[in-house]
Structures are given as structure tokens and as C-alpha cells.
């Protein structure tokens, strides 16, 4: 479906709507990252294997596949639902559904039943599926088309800000503030936090309801029949690449606390390792802010360098103020920031080239994770996050390039590929049960190798996009 949108009202300033939606992205990221806290918590509470504990991610991200598949089928047979009800109503529906998922943690915690927790996570994931379909597309419409990638990276950077503070704040609430007085584990520790999260989501929904958001309506709608969308080789490869990326990112984040707990790595307890988990997600935030600047084609190369340096310093200072770590403990991350900065300069804002560079670095980091022990292995696994930063947006943009009438169908298939976040952590959990956590990182290593292949493939076969990006960067 190839749709052109026009505003129903005269062109206006999009600052307030963009700020409002960005607030939603923040909460969305915060609650998603809470899964990394829930996994070790529920594993210990219910005496689960790694495989069983990874059902947390399977339930949450499995909802993305189910929800997007339902959306795709409805869109194909009845027409695109969002085009009929509008983006604002779609976003509000997603928020309410996600809030219901949070509220369902109350009975799950009250009765201390693991399947109830999984059910709550599934409903929560369905709500975020609707937001994935609506909010990202809406942000792309809030301004000029040539700056859409920059806006998406900016809002996703605040999404990453939510994932950065979630391990600190959420970990404190569950592992410390609402835990039992004697330090024992109780399911009730999740009850109040998730009720608070649900209430905040509803407040954000109320704000969006009252804020005047611009409305977009389709001028024309053409339905692409059949599965002709699969004739585009860069899309089919992109679907696999996005499956691998989401799966690898979620799997690594899910295992960080367990990995750092290993005696041969650092032997850290959950209350301490949650701070390092924030570095993993904080790296993605730094990279997305830098990506937003790098993809802003209205800036000269000199201004990009200056703004990227200043932003990197400010965001690093922000992360340092959030985590409960000394500068000596966090200083190693400066090396990754410099390497990330160099990667953007070498990539010259070309999406496929930058994707290939960043995936290569992550492959090397994962090899280091597997062959080393102690601080070197710990630093290697934490550095992966900063190079994940632009992967989702770059894979997504490259995959739907030149699809024409099939763009909407291609987008739906890409959202389904988020299923990787459900499947791959589960598989890594099974691998970890057999060969240990340390060597289970062979799975994300394979994933990044495929992403590297996809980046190289697009560099050769989508040269027009690469050249436009490079020229736009100067």
C-alpha cells in the first residue's frame, strides 16, 4: 500500500506534538528494559532454568509477532486500521492496552504464579506492538521527509534514555525498596512498581488525548495484492537481519546480570550489576543521539563533528550521574564512545556502510566476550550496546527502500521480525543450560555476522541510497 498523506489543517509547528510523543517513547523504553530486571528476579523466585526464565522475553516479544500478524491480516482484508481511525486513536489504544498489561502484574504477584506473569507480559507486549506500528510512523510525518530519519533517531534516543535508567530505578524498586525486610524474594515486590508504571502510562495517554496533535489522512490508497513484496531481495534479507538484531540485542541485555555474576567474570550481585546493565543501554542512547546528528543533512561536516563531540560528553556525564559507579569504574566506556564516533565518521552517514562497520565491531566484541575472562570480558559485553544504536533504524530504512506500492506490506513484515526478541533469548537460554552462560554468546555472534552480511549486500545493491546519504552529509 503506497499512501500519501496530507494534513487536514494548515501547516503548523510540530514541536509540542513531538515532545509529547517523545515522552511516550521514554516510558516505552523504560518498561521494556524492566524485562532484564524481571528475568534474574523471577529466575530466583521460581527456581527456573535459563530456558524457563527466558520465557519472559518470549511472551513479551512474541506478542509483537502475534499483534503485527493480526494487524497485517486486518490491513490486507479490510484496509489499514490506522488509516481509518487515525494515528492519535491508534496510539491511545496502544497505551491503554499496555497499561492493562502493567495492571495484570497485580494478580500475578498476589498469587505468585509464573504463567500469570507471562500473560501480563504478553498483553503489555501487544500494547507496545500497536505503538511500534503507529508512533514510529507518526513521528516520521511530523516534519519534512528528508529529516524523518533524524527525528526517529532522536525519539529513539529518549527511548534508550528510558532503558538506561530502568535498571537503576526499576532494579532499586524490585531488588531493594519493595523487597522483603529480611532480604528474601517475594512476588509482591513487582506489584506496586508495575501499578505505578501503568498509572504513568495512563497519565501520558491523558496528556496525548488533550494535546492537539496534527491529523493526517490518506489522499489515495492502493492495495498491493498477494505476496509480491517478497520479490525484493533486500527486503527478505532485511527481515532476517532485523530478526537477528532485535534477538541479539535483547538476548545480550537479558544475560548481562547473569554473566557479570559468574565468578570468572566479576561475581557481582544483582544490586550492583544493574548499574552496569545501564551502561549497556546507555551506550545505545549515546549512539542514537550521535546518529540523529549524523543523519541531519542540513548540517555541515564541521558542525556535525562539533555537535557530536559536545553531545557525547553531555550524555556520558548524564549516564555517570545516574549510575552508582565511580569514574574509574565507568571510564573504560570512553574508549567505546571514541570508537563509535570514529565509526560514524568512516561511515559518512551512509546507512549500509555504517551498519557494516558497527556490526563488525560487535562481532569482535562478542569474540572477546567468549575467549576472555574478568574485566576484559565484562567491558566487551557492555560495549555492544553503543554499536547497536543505529542498527534498527538503518536496517528498517534499507529494507523498505524502493518498495513503492509494497512499502506498507514490507513495513508490517519488518515489525513481525521483532519476533527475534522472543525466540533468540529463549534459544540462548537453552544453550546456556547446556554449555554455560559464558559460551552461549555464540548465538548473538552468529546474528551480528548476518547483519554484517546484510550491510555489505546493501552497500553493493542499494548504491543510490548510499551515495545520497554521503552527499547529504557534507
Amino acid at each position: 500500500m503506497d499512501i500519501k498523506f496530507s494534513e487536514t489543517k494548515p501547516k503548523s509547528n510540530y514541536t509540542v506534538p513531538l515532545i509529547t510523543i517523545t515522552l511516550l517513547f521514554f516510558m516505552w523504553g523504560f518498561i521494556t528494559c524492566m524485562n532484564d530486571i524481571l528475568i534474574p528476579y523471577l529466575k530466583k523466585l521460581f527456581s527456573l532454568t535459563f530456558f524457563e526464565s527466558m520465557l519472559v522475553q518470549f511472551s513479551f516479544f512474541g506478542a509483537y509477532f502475534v499483534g503485527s500478524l493480526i494487524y497485517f491480516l486486518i490491513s490486507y482484508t479490510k484496509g489499514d486500521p490506522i488509516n481509518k481511525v487515525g494515528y492519535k486513536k491508534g496510539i491511545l489504544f496502544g497505551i491503554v492496552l499496555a497499561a492493562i498489561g502493567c495492571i495484570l502484574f497485580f494478580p500475578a504477584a498476589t498469587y505468585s504464579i509464573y504463567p500469570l506473569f507471562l500473560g501480563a507480559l504478553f498483553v503489555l507486549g501487544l500494547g507496545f506492538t500497536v505503538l511500534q506500528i503507529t508512533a514510529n510512523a507518526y513521528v516520521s510525518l511530523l516534519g519534512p521527509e528528508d529529516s524523518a530519519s533524524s527525528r526517529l533517531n532522536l525519539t529513539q534516543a529518549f527511548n534508550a534514555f528510558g532503558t538506561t535508567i530502568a535498571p537503576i530505578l526499576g532494579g532499586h524498586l524490585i531488588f531493594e525498596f519493595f523487597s522483603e525486610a529480611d532480604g528474601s524474594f517475594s512476588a509482591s515486590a513487582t506489584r506496586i512498581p508495575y501499578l505505578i508504571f501503568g498509572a504513568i502510562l495512563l497519565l501520558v495517554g491523558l496528556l496525548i488525548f488533550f494535546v492537539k496533535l496534527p491529523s493526517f489522512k490518506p489522499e489515495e490508497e492502493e492495495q498491493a495484492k498477494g505476496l509480491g513484496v517478497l520479490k525484493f531481495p533486500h527486503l527478505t534479507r532485511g527481515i532476517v537481519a532485523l530478526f537477528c538484531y532485535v534477538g541479539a540485542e535483547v538476548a545480550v541485555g537479558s544475560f548481562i546480570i547473569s554473566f557479570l555474576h559468574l565468578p570468572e567474570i566479576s561475581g557481582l550481585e544483582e544490586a550492583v550489576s544493574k548499574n552496569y546493565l545501564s551502561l549497556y543501554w546507555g551506550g545505545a542512547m549515546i549512539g542514537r543521539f550521535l546518529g540523529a546528528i549524523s543523519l541531519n543533512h542540513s548540517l555541515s561536516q564541521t558542525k556535525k563533528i562539533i555537535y557530536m563531540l559536545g553531545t557525547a560528553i553531555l550524555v556520558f556525564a548524564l549516564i555517570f550521574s545516574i549510575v552508582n559507579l565511580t569514574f574509574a569504574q565507568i571510564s573504560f566506556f570512553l574508549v567505546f564512545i571514541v570508537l563509535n564516533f570514529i565509526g560514524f565518521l568512516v561511515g559518512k552517514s551512509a546507512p549500509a556502510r555504517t551498519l557494516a562497520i558497527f556490526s563488525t565491531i560487535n562481532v569482535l566484541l562478542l569474540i572477546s566476550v567468549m575467549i576472555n575472562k574478568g574485566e576484559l570480558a565484562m567491558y566487551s559485553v557492555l560495549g555492544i550496546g553503543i554499536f547497536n544504536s543505529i542498527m534498527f533504524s538503518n536496517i528498517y530504512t534499507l529494507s523498505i527502500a524502493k518498495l513503492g506500492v509494497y512499502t506498507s506490506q514490507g513495513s508490517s513484515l519488518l515489525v513481525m521480525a521483532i519476533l527475534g526478541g522472543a525466540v533468540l533469548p529463549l534459544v540462548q537460554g537453552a544453550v546456556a543450560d547446556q554449555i554455560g552462560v559464558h559460551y552461549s554468546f555464540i548465538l548473538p555472534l552468529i546474528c551480528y555476522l548476518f547483519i554484517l552480511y546484510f550491510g555489505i549486500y546493501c552497500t553493493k545493491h542499494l548504491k543510490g541510497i548510499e551515495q545520497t546519504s554521503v552527499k547529504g552529509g557534507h
Side-chain angles (χ1 to χ4, degrees):
M1 186 169 14
D2 192 18
I3 302 173
K4 296 181 179 179
F5 291 89
S6 64
E7 297 171 62
T8 56
K9 297 185 182 298
K11 189 173 181 179
S12 56
N13 192 315
Y14 293 134
T15 303
V16 173
L18 190 58
I19 291 174
T20 306
I21 298 299
T22 299
L23 178 61
L24 172 62
F25 270 77
F26 167 79
M27 279 304 300
W28 176 2
F30 184 98
I31 296 175
T32 298
C33 191
M34 282 298 298
N35 290 356
D36 294 341
I37 298 296
L38 283 176
I39 288 169
Y41 176 80
L42 295 175
K43 184 178 184 297
K44 197 173 281 189
L45 178 65
F46 293 107
S47 301
L48 306 172
T49 64
F50 281 112
F51 177 84
E52 291 168 338
S53 66
M54 288 302 152
L55 288 173
V56 167
Q57 302 291 28
F58 182 80
S59 299
F60 182 82
F61 286 99
Y64 275 77
F65 177 78
V66 174
S68 57
L69 177 61
I70 293 172
Y71 186 91
F72 177 82
L73 293 174
I74 294 175
S75 177
Y76 184 75
T77 57
K78 305 292 184 181
D80 197 324
I82 300 302
N83 290 339
K84 294 181 178 180
V85 303
Y87 282 95
K88 184 173 182 177
K89 290 182 180 178
I91 291 171
L92 289 173
F93 175 73
I95 291 174
V96 171
L97 195 57
I100 292 173
C102 289
I103 294 170
L104 288 175
F105 270 78
F106 189 87
T110 300
Y111 296 105
S112 190
I113 300 176
Y114 187 49
L116 289 182
F117 278 104
L118 299 180
L121 285 162
F122 183 81
V123 175
L124 182 58
L126 285 177
F128 285 164
T129 302
V130 178
L131 294 179
Q132 185 78 32
I133 294 171
T134 56
N136 280 314
Y138 191 71
V139 168
S140 69
L141 296 173
L142 290 176
E145 184 178 357
D146 60 358
S147 61
S149 294
S150 180
R151 286 194 304 278
L152 280 171
N153 270 284
L154 183 62
T155 53
Q156 287 178 4
F158 281 95
N159 180 275
F161 179 47
T163 64
T164 302
I165 68 171
I168 303 298
L169 181 56
H172 174 72
L173 291 175
I174 291 178
F175 286 124
E176 299 170 48
F177 192 80
F178 287 106
S179 64
E180 296 295 322
D182 59 1
S184 61
F185 273 61
S186 169
S188 61
T190 61
R191 191 162 44 198
I192 302 301
Y194 273 86
L195 284 180
I196 294 172
F197 301 155
I200 294 175
L201 275 175
L202 291 175
L203 287 175
V204 173
L206 200 61
L207 177 63
I208 291 175
F209 179 79
F210 285 109
V211 168
K212 190 175 183 180
L213 298 180
S215 175
F216 299 93
K217 291 183 178 179
E219 287 181 345
E220 57 179 284
E221 181 175 334
E222 183 180 353
Q223 184 72 46
K225 298 292 184 181
L227 293 176
V229 66
L230 297 179
K231 69 183 178 182
F232 297 95
H234 65 284
L235 172 66
T236 54
R237 287 166 173 79
I239 292 170
V240 178
L242 199 64
F243 178 91
C244 288
Y245 161 68
V246 177
E249 180 189 50
V250 173
V252 172
S254 300
F255 274 91
I256 281 180
I257 290 180
S258 296
F259 182 68
L260 298 186
H261 185 63
L262 296 175
E264 67 269 25
I265 304 302
S266 61
L268 296 176
E269 295 299 322
E270 291 90 346
V272 178
S273 56
K274 63 182 174 58
N275 292 284
Y276 286 102
L277 178 60
S278 280
L279 286 183
Y280 173 76
W281 292 110
M285 176 174 63
I286 293 174
R288 284 169 186 166
F289 274 119
L290 296 184
I293 297 171
S294 178
L295 292 169
N296 190 332
H297 302 321
S298 65
L299 297 175
S300 66
Q301 191 71 4
T302 302
K303 286 185 177 180
K304 283 184 180 181
I305 293 174
I306 294 173
Y307 291 164
M308 287 170 73
L309 282 172
T311 300
I313 293 171
L314 289 174
V315 178
F316 177 78
L318 174 64
I319 294 173
F320 179 60
S321 67
I322 292 173
V323 298
N324 186 25
L325 298 171
T326 65
F327 182 77
Q329 291 173 310
I330 197 178
S331 59
F332 75 91
F333 213 70
L334 292 172
V335 176
F336 292 118
I337 293 176
V338 172
L339 190 58
N340 187 260
F341 184 81
I342 293 172
F344 275 116
L345 294 181
V346 175
K348 296 181 179 179
S349 301
R353 186 184 305 175
T354 306
L355 181 66
I357 292 170
F358 282 18
S359 55
T360 298
I361 294 173
N362 274 354
V363 166
L364 296 175
L365 287 174
L366 280 163
I367 291 174
S368 175
V369 168
M370 295 177 63
I371 65 176
N372 292 304
K373 297 179 180 180
E375 289 186 343
L376 187 55
M378 180 177 77
Y379 296 160
S380 297
V381 76
L382 297 175
I384 294 170
I386 194 170
F387 300 102
N388 279 338
S389 55
I390 49 80
M391 287 192 181
F392 184 94
S393 57
N394 283 21
I395 293 172
Y396 188 92
T397 303
L398 291 166
S399 299
I400 63 173
K402 302 180 180 180
L403 294 190
V405 70
Y406 295 101
T407 299
S408 183
Q409 280 192 7
S411 298
S412 298
L413 292 174
L414 286 167
V415 173
M416 290 183 203
I418 295 176
L419 177 68
V423 175
L424 295 183
L426 197 65
V427 175
Q428 187 171 348
V431 173
D433 286 328
Q434 296 299 317
I435 64 174
V437 174
H438 202 158
Y439 297 106
S440 69
F441 285 93
I442 183 67
L443 185 66
L445 171 61
I446 294 171
C447 292
Y448 286 112
L449 282 172
F450 185 87
I451 297 170
L452 170 59
Y453 158 73
F454 178 70
I456 295 173
Y457 177 87
C458 290
T459 301
K460 295 179 178 179
H461 294 85
L462 295 176
K463 293 181 180 179
I465 294 176
E466 290 292 287
Q467 291 168 355
T468 300
S469 300
V470 172
K471 290 177 181 177
H474 293 280

